Amino acid sequence: KQEVTQIPAALSVPEGENLVLNCSFTDSAIYNLQWFRQDPGKGLTSLLLIQSSQREQTSGRLNASLDKSSGRSTLYIAASQPGDSATYLCAVNAGGTSYGKLTFGQGTILTVHP
Amino acid sequence: KAGVTQTPRYLIKTRGQQVTLSCSPISGHRSVSWYQQTPGQGLQFLFEYFSETQRNKGNFPGRFSGRQFSNSRSEMNVSTLELGDSALYLCASSRRGEISDTQYFGPGTRLTVL
């Protein structure tokens, strides 16, 4: 059974810092991995999707990497801002007939203070 | 283009009642997935629909059911509500319903069971 773990569970940083969020998964046979952010009481916003054949994806100040063989992904946020404060979730899709089924980690709660 | 919409946004029910939640996917999207989010269990996959057919189902009791209409809109139903069903219910849509697709989430329906 696939398990996804995110470390740390919570992170507080001053504005302007670069930071790294970690995600690990137990079964390396994934099809893709997706990073989301969730604001309190809201739905999920997709940030980046990495297919299993890719090593990284970039969008603005965000960079996500994937090491499928070691079961790890990292989300790098450059020059953090207070507006980045949210819960960040990673989710994997096992492929095959796993239509629509994402397995999520518990998330990292990020607080960026001015 | 409008995002995924869910109605109602908030719902209060009592034990034993039943409830129906609605999800309208992004225009042109054909796949809809449902998730339950609770503080203890995190995000858990309920089921996925594509072209009015359920293709995938998570580990939830039969009290949880769903359907999809020809216009891709989806509903989920929970019968005989229990206190533990209190959660944020999220739906997500994807364009082609393929494993490689990005999933886009709605704002969720907050269900409280008293």
Side-chain angles (χ1 to χ4, degrees), chain A residues 31-32 34 36 38 41-46 49 51 89 93-106, chain B residues 9 33 35 37 39-43 45 48 55-56 88 90 97-108 110:
Chain A
Y31 194 87
N32 56 40
Q34 199 165 350
F36 296 89
Q38 185 175 31
K42 303 287 181 63
L44 278 62
T45 300
S46 177
L49 171 71
Q51 304 294 350
L89 295 146
N93 188 304
T97 58
S98 297
Y99 297 110
K101 181 179 179 180
L102 297 177
T103 302
F104 283 85
Q106 291 289 345
Chain B
R9 293 293 313 279
S33 301
Y35 291 82
Q37 186 176 29
Q41 299 297 317
L43 275 149
F45 172 77
E48 187 263 2
R55 295 192 299 182
N56 206 357
L88 181 66
L90 295 161
E98 296 180 6
I99 301 293
S100 57
D101 285 355
T102 297
Q103 290 202 38
Y104 297 90
F105 281 76
R110 173 75 62 184

Side-chain angles (χ1 to χ4, degrees), chain A:
Chain A
K1 177 188 171 187
Q2 178 74 270
E3 292 184 1
V4 181
T5 303
Q6 292 187 245
I7 294 173
L11 184 62
S12 181
V13 300
E15 182 177 4
E17 263 200 18
N18 302 323
L19 57 98
V20 174
L21 308 181
N22 297 290
C23 171
S24 62
F25 43 95
T26 54
D27 186 346
S28 61
I30 65 167
Y31 194 87
N32 56 40
L33 182 145
Q34 199 165 350
W35 282 94
F36 296 89
R37 70 172 278 170
Q38 185 175 31
D39 294 287
K42 303 287 181 63
L44 278 62
T45 300
S46 177
L47 298 173
L48 291 163
L49 171 71
I50 311 177
Q51 304 294 350
S52 61
S53 58
Q54 299 174 316
R55 293 294 299 231
E56 65 179 87
Q57 282 282 358
T58 298
S59 176
R61 295 182 294 108
L62 305 179
N63 176 277
S65 67
L66 174 64
D67 185 341
K68 193 177 138 178
S69 60
S70 68
R72 294 180 183 179
S73 176
T74 62
L75 179 66
Y76 175 83
I77 302 177
S80 59
Q81 303 170 357
D84 295 330
S85 299
T87 297
Y88 289 80
L89 295 146
C90 71
V92 299
N93 188 304
T97 58
S98 297
Y99 297 110
K101 181 179 179 180
L102 297 177
T103 302
F104 283 85
Q106 291 289 345
T108 293
I109 301 172
L110 173 65
T111 303
V112 181
H113 47 90

Side-chain angles (χ1 to χ4, degrees), chain B residues 48-109:
Chain B
E48 187 263 2
Y49 288 89
F50 179 82
S51 292
E52 302 178 67
T53 300
Q54 185 184 88
R55 295 192 299 182
N56 206 357
K57 189 176 190 303
N59 296 324
F60 279 81
R63 301 185 297 107
F64 291 81
S65 63
R67 59 178 176 168
Q68 185 182 36
F69 303 95
S70 58
N71 62 359
S72 294
R73 189 178 69 86
S74 178
E75 290 181 345
M76 68 163 281
N77 184 276
V78 188
S79 62
T80 319
L81 284 166
E82 300 177 358
L83 295 178
D85 297 333
S86 294
L88 181 66
Y89 290 88
L90 295 161
C91 81
S93 72
S94 68
R95 188 164 58 90
R96 300 165 301 173
E98 296 180 6
I99 301 293
S100 57
D101 285 355
T102 297
Q103 290 202 38
Y104 297 90
F105 281 76
T109 293

